[in-house]
Amino acid sequence: GYTYDFDLYGHLADSLLHGRLGLDLPTPDALFHADHPYDTAVRERLLAQGVSPIYWDYAWFDGHWYSYFGALPALLIFAPYRLISSWWVPGGAMMPSSAAVILLAFGFLRTAGLLVVTLVRRLAPRASLAATSMALALMLVGSNIGYLILRTNFYSVPFVAAMLLATLGLLLWLSAVGTTNDTTNDQAPGLTEERRLPRRGRWQVEGAPALSLPRLAGGTAAIAATLACRPTFAPTSLLGFAIFWP
């Protein structure tokens, strides 16, 4: 009997644009005046009496509904869409969750593919095109992106957003690492163009590979941002020990 709302991120973006945290959703008077509105039995009794809407997947506090999902996708995708669409739609349009999932999935497919190719170049530079293709297929199948694209409702938004940010962060981290001596190919066997770091923002400790501080900072920001999407992706940061150990 609960009410399901699949425009959670759209409502959250609208509330944030208007400077409030609570969602602009109807609140039943019976729930507001109930002695114990957080009691499941009380809500079930209200539902049996025809009280509506009592939302699923929203938090109720002090007469308002709140979203407990990470707010970053609402800030970066849904809010800008409403602002831009307001140029031709009065008040702006609400972006469908399905469109956001497809957009984020496209970004993930690019970052994940580049991440695999970068790892193959670094770890197995003589790998064949067939082996690289199998590695790409393994990454995409193992990431479960196919299911997330198939299930294009708001439940998929935080997952795909965190996957995009995590792979983007790892890609930037890998590109931030140069070589111990990246001046000539003769001094650094196997050096490729992608490992040549720009001199601006470059930092190096004697005996260790050079680092690009802007790329390091960008990768760190991307992985940290997973906390505002799906926090369970934050342990991706532990891979930094493997990347930057030297």
Side-chain angles (χ1 to χ4, degrees):
Y2 284 90
T3 299
Y4 289 80
D5 176 31
F6 291 97
D7 291 315
L8 182 148
Y9 281 101
H11 290 306
L12 179 57
D14 184 57
S15 295
L16 294 175
L17 286 173
H18 287 85
R20 59 175 181 265
L21 297 178
L23 305 179
D24 186 20
L25 294 172
T27 55
D29 290 336
L31 183 63
F32 182 77
H33 294 293
D35 293 333
H36 302 286
Y38 308 107
D39 190 334
T40 304
V42 172
R43 292 194 177 194
E44 289 180 349
R45 186 172 66 251
L46 292 174
L47 288 170
Q49 295 171 358
V51 175
S52 181
I54 299 180
Y55 288 100
W56 187 260
D57 274 329
Y58 284 130
W60 167 273
F61 177 71
D62 198 23
H64 296 282
W65 297 106
Y66 293 86
S67 168
Y68 51 81
F69 285 71
L72 189 62
L75 286 170
L76 295 184
I77 300 178
F78 290 83
Y81 181 84
R82 180 173 283 277
L83 288 174
I84 295 173
S85 62
S86 65
W87 295 347
W88 61 85
V89 177
M94 184 177 292
M95 186 178 197
S97 296
S98 57
V101 171
I102 296 301
L103 180 65
L104 291 167
F106 176 75
F108 167 75
L109 291 173
R110 289 184 61 86
T111 55
L114 289 171
L115 179 61
V116 170
V117 171
T118 300
L119 286 170
V120 170
R121 278 183 163 181
R122 297 287 178 88
L123 303 176
R126 297 180 181 275
S128 65
L129 178 60
T132 304
S133 300
M134 287 190 286
L136 284 166
L138 182 63
M139 159 66 96
L140 298 179
V141 171
S143 70
N144 212 25
I145 189 64
Y147 170 79
L148 294 171
I149 293 175
L150 179 67
R151 186 178 174 84
T152 54
N153 58 40
F154 81 91
Y155 288 111
S156 296
V157 171
F159 286 103
V160 186
M163 291 163 62
L164 168 58
L165 289 168
T167 50
L168 175 62
L170 291 175
L171 185 62
L172 287 171
W173 273 0
L174 284 172
S175 67
V177 181
T179 57
T180 303
N181 186 336
D182 59 348
T183 56
T184 66
N185 285 332
D186 295 334
Q187 293 172 316
L191 180 64
T192 60
E193 288 298 322
E194 67 174 348
R195 303 194 72 176
R196 292 182 180 274
L197 300 179
R199 294 196 174 277
R200 179 177 294 180
R202 188 171 65 177
W203 176 63
Q204 186 167 11
V205 175
E206 185 177 355
L211 286 177
S212 169
L213 294 182
R215 297 177 188 178
L216 177 64
T220 302
I223 292 178
T226 60
L227 287 168
C229 298
R230 192 73 182 180
T232 47
F233 282 79
T236 304
S237 59
L238 296 176
L239 292 173
F241 287 104
I243 297 173
F244 302 114
W245 186 261

PDB file of all heavy atoms in Angstrom, residues 68-87:
ATOM      1  N   TYR A  68      17.344   9.977   1.485  1.00  0.00           N
ATOM      2  CA  TYR A  68      18.581   9.548   2.141  1.00  0.00           C
ATOM      3  C   TYR A  68      19.578   8.975   1.131  1.00  0.00           C
ATOM      4  O   TYR A  68      20.573   8.367   1.511  1.00  0.00           O
ATOM      5  CB  TYR A  68      18.303   8.524   3.242  1.00  0.00           C
ATOM      6  CG  TYR A  68      17.450   7.340   2.836  1.00  0.00           C
ATOM      7  CD1 TYR A  68      18.021   6.263   2.156  1.00  0.00           C
ATOM      8  CD2 TYR A  68      16.096   7.301   3.125  1.00  0.00           C
ATOM      9  CE1 TYR A  68      17.253   5.178   1.777  1.00  0.00           C
ATOM     10  CE2 TYR A  68      15.317   6.215   2.769  1.00  0.00           C
ATOM     11  CZ  TYR A  68      15.896   5.161   2.098  1.00  0.00           C
ATOM     12  OH  TYR A  68      15.135   4.084   1.723  1.00  0.00           O
ATOM     13  N   PHE A  69      19.306   9.194  -0.160  1.00  0.00           N
ATOM     14  CA  PHE A  69      20.252   8.787  -1.196  1.00  0.00           C
ATOM     15  C   PHE A  69      21.289   9.886  -1.404  1.00  0.00           C
ATOM     16  O   PHE A  69      21.010  11.064  -1.171  1.00  0.00           O
ATOM     17  CB  PHE A  69      19.525   8.520  -2.517  1.00  0.00           C
ATOM     18  CG  PHE A  69      18.767   7.223  -2.549  1.00  0.00           C
ATOM     19  CD1 PHE A  69      17.607   7.055  -1.803  1.00  0.00           C
ATOM     20  CD2 PHE A  69      19.215   6.170  -3.319  1.00  0.00           C
ATOM     21  CE1 PHE A  69      16.914   5.859  -1.822  1.00  0.00           C
ATOM     22  CE2 PHE A  69      18.532   4.966  -3.343  1.00  0.00           C
ATOM     23  CZ  PHE A  69      17.379   4.806  -2.591  1.00  0.00           C
ATOM     24  N   GLY A  70      22.495   9.500  -1.851  1.00  0.00           N
ATOM     25  CA  GLY A  70      23.543  10.477  -2.096  1.00  0.00           C
ATOM     26  C   GLY A  70      23.082  11.569  -3.047  1.00  0.00           C
ATOM     27  O   GLY A  70      22.488  11.298  -4.092  1.00  0.00           O
ATOM     28  N   ALA A  71      23.380  12.822  -2.698  1.00  0.00           N
ATOM     29  CA  ALA A  71      22.809  13.956  -3.433  1.00  0.00           C
ATOM     30  C   ALA A  71      23.622  14.381  -4.649  1.00  0.00           C
ATOM     31  O   ALA A  71      23.166  15.230  -5.417  1.00  0.00           O
ATOM     32  CB  ALA A  71      22.670  15.150  -2.489  1.00  0.00           C
ATOM     33  N   LEU A  72      24.815  13.830  -4.845  1.00  0.00           N
ATOM     34  CA  LEU A  72      25.672  14.327  -5.919  1.00  0.00           C
ATOM     35  C   LEU A  72      25.045  14.198  -7.309  1.00  0.00           C
ATOM     36  O   LEU A  72      25.117  15.144  -8.104  1.00  0.00           O
ATOM     37  CB  LEU A  72      27.031  13.620  -5.875  1.00  0.00           C
ATOM     38  CG  LEU A  72      28.094  14.203  -6.799  1.00  0.00           C
ATOM     39  CD1 LEU A  72      28.404  15.655  -6.412  1.00  0.00           C
ATOM     40  CD2 LEU A  72      29.374  13.374  -6.748  1.00  0.00           C
ATOM     41  N   PRO A  73      24.434  13.054  -7.678  1.00  0.00           N
ATOM     42  CA  PRO A  73      23.798  12.995  -9.003  1.00  0.00           C
ATOM     43  C   PRO A  73      22.732  14.063  -9.195  1.00  0.00           C
ATOM     44  O   PRO A  73      22.585  14.613 -10.296  1.00  0.00           O
ATOM     45  CB  PRO A  73      23.197  11.586  -9.045  1.00  0.00           C
ATOM     46  CG  PRO A  73      24.046  10.784  -8.107  1.00  0.00           C
ATOM     47  CD  PRO A  73      24.376  11.741  -6.995  1.00  0.00           C
ATOM     48  N   ALA A  74      21.991  14.381  -8.138  1.00  0.00           N
ATOM     49  CA  ALA A  74      20.974  15.429  -8.241  1.00  0.00           C
ATOM     50  C   ALA A  74      21.612  16.779  -8.521  1.00  0.00           C
ATOM     51  O   ALA A  74      21.079  17.587  -9.298  1.00  0.00           O
ATOM     52  CB  ALA A  74      20.147  15.485  -6.959  1.00  0.00           C
ATOM     53  N   LEU A  75      22.780  17.032  -7.909  1.00  0.00           N
ATOM     54  CA  LEU A  75      23.454  18.313  -8.083  1.00  0.00           C
ATOM     55  C   LEU A  75      24.109  18.435  -9.460  1.00  0.00           C
ATOM     56  O   LEU A  75      24.084  19.499 -10.079  1.00  0.00           O
ATOM     57  CB  LEU A  75      24.514  18.499  -6.997  1.00  0.00           C
ATOM     58  CG  LEU A  75      24.001  18.827  -5.593  1.00  0.00           C
ATOM     59  CD1 LEU A  75      25.136  18.744  -4.580  1.00  0.00           C
ATOM     60  CD2 LEU A  75      23.369  20.207  -5.566  1.00  0.00           C
ATOM     61  N   LEU A  76      24.704  17.344  -9.942  1.00  0.00           N
ATOM     62  CA  LEU A  76      25.503  17.408 -11.164  1.00  0.00           C
ATOM     63  C   LEU A  76      24.707  17.158 -12.440  1.00  0.00           C
ATOM     64  O   LEU A  76      25.131  17.583 -13.520  1.00  0.00           O
ATOM     65  CB  LEU A  76      26.655  16.395 -11.093  1.00  0.00           C
ATOM     66  CG  LEU A  76      27.717  16.642 -10.020  1.00  0.00           C
ATOM     67  CD1 LEU A  76      28.835  15.628 -10.142  1.00  0.00           C
ATOM     68  CD2 LEU A  76      28.256  18.059 -10.102  1.00  0.00           C
ATOM     69  N   ILE A  77      23.576  16.465 -12.352  1.00  0.00           N
ATOM     70  CA  ILE A  77      22.842  16.101 -13.567  1.00  0.00           C
ATOM     71  C   ILE A  77      21.415  16.647 -13.555  1.00  0.00           C
ATOM     72  O   ILE A  77      21.011  17.384 -14.452  1.00  0.00           O
ATOM     73  CB  ILE A  77      22.806  14.566 -13.743  1.00  0.00           C
ATOM     74  CG1 ILE A  77      24.230  14.010 -13.847  1.00  0.00           C
ATOM     75  CG2 ILE A  77      22.001  14.183 -14.983  1.00  0.00           C
ATOM     76  CD1 ILE A  77      24.288  12.516 -13.961  1.00  0.00           C
ATOM     77  N   PHE A  78      20.661  16.312 -12.524  1.00  0.00           N
ATOM     78  CA  PHE A  78      19.245  16.651 -12.517  1.00  0.00           C
ATOM     79  C   PHE A  78      19.005  18.148 -12.330  1.00  0.00           C
ATOM     80  O   PHE A  78      18.121  18.719 -12.980  1.00  0.00           O
ATOM     81  CB  PHE A  78      18.533  15.859 -11.414  1.00  0.00           C
ATOM     82  CG  PHE A  78      18.418  14.390 -11.693  1.00  0.00           C
ATOM     83  CD1 PHE A  78      19.469  13.530 -11.413  1.00  0.00           C
ATOM     84  CD2 PHE A  78      17.271  13.856 -12.260  1.00  0.00           C
ATOM     85  CE1 PHE A  78      19.379  12.166 -11.670  1.00  0.00           C
ATOM     86  CE2 PHE A  78      17.164  12.507 -12.526  1.00  0.00           C
ATOM     87  CZ  PHE A  78      18.223  11.658 -12.241  1.00  0.00           C
ATOM     88  N   ALA A  79      19.765  18.790 -11.457  1.00  0.00           N
ATOM     89  CA  ALA A  79      19.587  20.230 -11.246  1.00  0.00           C
ATOM     90  C   ALA A  79      19.980  21.041 -12.482  1.00  0.00           C
ATOM     91  O   ALA A  79      19.213  21.928 -12.910  1.00  0.00           O
ATOM     92  CB  ALA A  79      20.377  20.676 -10.013  1.00  0.00           C
ATOM     93  N   PRO A  80      21.157  20.780 -13.105  1.00  0.00           N
ATOM     94  CA  PRO A  80      21.471  21.521 -14.332  1.00  0.00           C
ATOM     95  C   PRO A  80      20.449  21.306 -15.440  1.00  0.00           C
ATOM     96  O   PRO A  80      20.142  22.243 -16.197  1.00  0.00           O
ATOM     97  CB  PRO A  80      22.842  20.970 -14.720  1.00  0.00           C
ATOM     98  CG  PRO A  80      23.442  20.491 -13.439  1.00  0.00           C
ATOM     99  CD  PRO A  80      22.289  19.961 -12.654  1.00  0.00           C
ATOM    100  N   TYR A  81      19.903  20.090 -15.544  1.00  0.00           N
ATOM    101  CA  TYR A  81      18.896  19.829 -16.579  1.00  0.00           C
ATOM    102  C   TYR A  81      17.659  20.694 -16.351  1.00  0.00           C
ATOM    103  O   TYR A  81      17.095  21.262 -17.302  1.00  0.00           O
ATOM    104  CB  TYR A  81      18.517  18.353 -16.569  1.00  0.00           C
ATOM    105  CG  TYR A  81      17.503  17.964 -17.628  1.00  0.00           C
ATOM    106  CD1 TYR A  81      17.909  17.670 -18.921  1.00  0.00           C
ATOM    107  CD2 TYR A  81      16.140  17.908 -17.327  1.00  0.00           C
ATOM    108  CE1 TYR A  81      16.981  17.319 -19.898  1.00  0.00           C
ATOM    109  CE2 TYR A  81      15.211  17.564 -18.292  1.00  0.00           C
ATOM    110  CZ  TYR A  81      15.635  17.272 -19.570  1.00  0.00           C
ATOM    111  OH  TYR A  81      14.715  16.937 -20.536  1.00  0.00           O
ATOM    112  N   ARG A  82      17.235  20.807 -15.100  1.00  0.00           N
ATOM    113  CA  ARG A  82      16.067  21.640 -14.812  1.00  0.00           C
ATOM    114  C   ARG A  82      16.360  23.111 -15.125  1.00  0.00           C
ATOM    115  O   ARG A  82      15.504  23.819 -15.669  1.00  0.00           O
ATOM    116  CB  ARG A  82      15.638  21.475 -13.357  1.00  0.00           C
ATOM    117  CG  ARG A  82      14.420  22.308 -12.984  1.00  0.00           C
ATOM    118  CD  ARG A  82      13.917  21.986 -11.598  1.00  0.00           C
ATOM    119  NE  ARG A  82      13.171  20.751 -11.556  1.00  0.00           N
ATOM    120  CZ  ARG A  82      11.874  20.629 -11.862  1.00  0.00           C
ATOM    121  NH1 ARG A  82      11.191  21.697 -12.263  1.00  0.00           N
ATOM    122  NH2 ARG A  82      11.251  19.481 -11.776  1.00  0.00           N
ATOM    123  N   LEU A  83      17.559  23.566 -14.796  1.00  0.00           N
ATOM    124  CA  LEU A  83      17.917  24.959 -15.060  1.00  0.00           C
ATOM    125  C   LEU A  83      17.970  25.242 -16.562  1.00  0.00           C
ATOM    126  O   LEU A  83      17.445  26.250 -17.036  1.00  0.00           O
ATOM    127  CB  LEU A  83      19.260  25.281 -14.414  1.00  0.00           C
ATOM    128  CG  LEU A  83      19.276  25.384 -12.885  1.00  0.00           C
ATOM    129  CD1 LEU A  83      20.705  25.565 -12.390  1.00  0.00           C
ATOM    130  CD2 LEU A  83      18.395  26.534 -12.416  1.00  0.00           C
ATOM    131  N   ILE A  84      18.617  24.356 -17.310  1.00  0.00           N
ATOM    132  CA  ILE A  84      18.748  24.573 -18.759  1.00  0.00           C
ATOM    133  C   ILE A  84      17.392  24.476 -19.449  1.00  0.00           C
ATOM    134  O   ILE A  84      17.062  25.287 -20.325  1.00  0.00           O
ATOM    135  CB  ILE A  84      19.745  23.560 -19.360  1.00  0.00           C
ATOM    136  CG1 ILE A  84      21.150  23.815 -18.808  1.00  0.00           C
ATOM    137  CG2 ILE A  84      19.741  23.639 -20.881  1.00  0.00           C
ATOM    138  CD1 ILE A  84      22.163  22.766 -19.201  1.00  0.00           C
ATOM    139  N   SER A  85      16.587  23.497 -19.051  1.00  0.00           N
ATOM    140  CA  SER A  85      15.274  23.324 -19.693  1.00  0.00           C
ATOM    141  C   SER A  85      14.320  24.458 -19.355  1.00  0.00           C
ATOM    142  O   SER A  85      13.309  24.642 -20.049  1.00  0.00           O
ATOM    143  CB  SER A  85      14.664  21.980 -19.284  1.00  0.00           C
ATOM    144  OG  SER A  85      14.441  21.929 -17.877  1.00  0.00           O
ATOM    145  N   SER A  86      14.619  25.226 -18.301  1.00  0.00           N
ATOM    146  CA  SER A  86      13.743  26.347 -17.939  1.00  0.00           C
ATOM    147  C   SER A  86      13.777  27.444 -19.001  1.00  0.00           C
ATOM    148  O   SER A  86      12.931  28.342 -18.989  1.00  0.00           O
ATOM    149  CB  SER A  86      14.142  26.926 -16.579  1.00  0.00           C
ATOM    150  OG  SER A  86      15.437  27.499 -16.630  1.00  0.00           O
ATOM    151  N   TRP A  87      14.754  27.389 -19.925  1.00  0.00           N
ATOM    152  CA  TRP A  87      14.817  28.370 -21.007  1.00  0.00           C
ATOM    153  C   TRP A  87      13.633  28.227 -21.955  1.00  0.00           C
ATOM    154  O   TRP A  87      13.238  29.199 -22.590  1.00  0.00           O
ATOM    155  CB  TRP A  87      16.125  28.228 -21.773  1.00  0.00           C
ATOM    156  CG  TRP A  87      17.352  28.547 -20.961  1.00  0.00           C
ATOM    157  CD1 TRP A  87      17.393  29.173 -19.747  1.00  0.00           C
ATOM    158  CD2 TRP A  87      18.704  28.254 -21.309  1.00  0.00           C
ATOM    159  NE1 TRP A  87      18.693  29.272 -19.305  1.00  0.00           N
ATOM    160  CE2 TRP A  87      19.531  28.726 -20.248  1.00  0.00           C
ATOM    161  CE3 TRP A  87      19.312  27.639 -22.392  1.00  0.00           C
ATOM    162  CZ2 TRP A  87      20.920  28.599 -20.243  1.00  0.00           C
ATOM    163  CZ3 TRP A  87      20.694  27.516 -22.400  1.00  0.00           C
ATOM    164  CH2 TRP A  87      21.490  27.992 -21.349  1.00  0.00           C
TER     165      TRP A  87
END
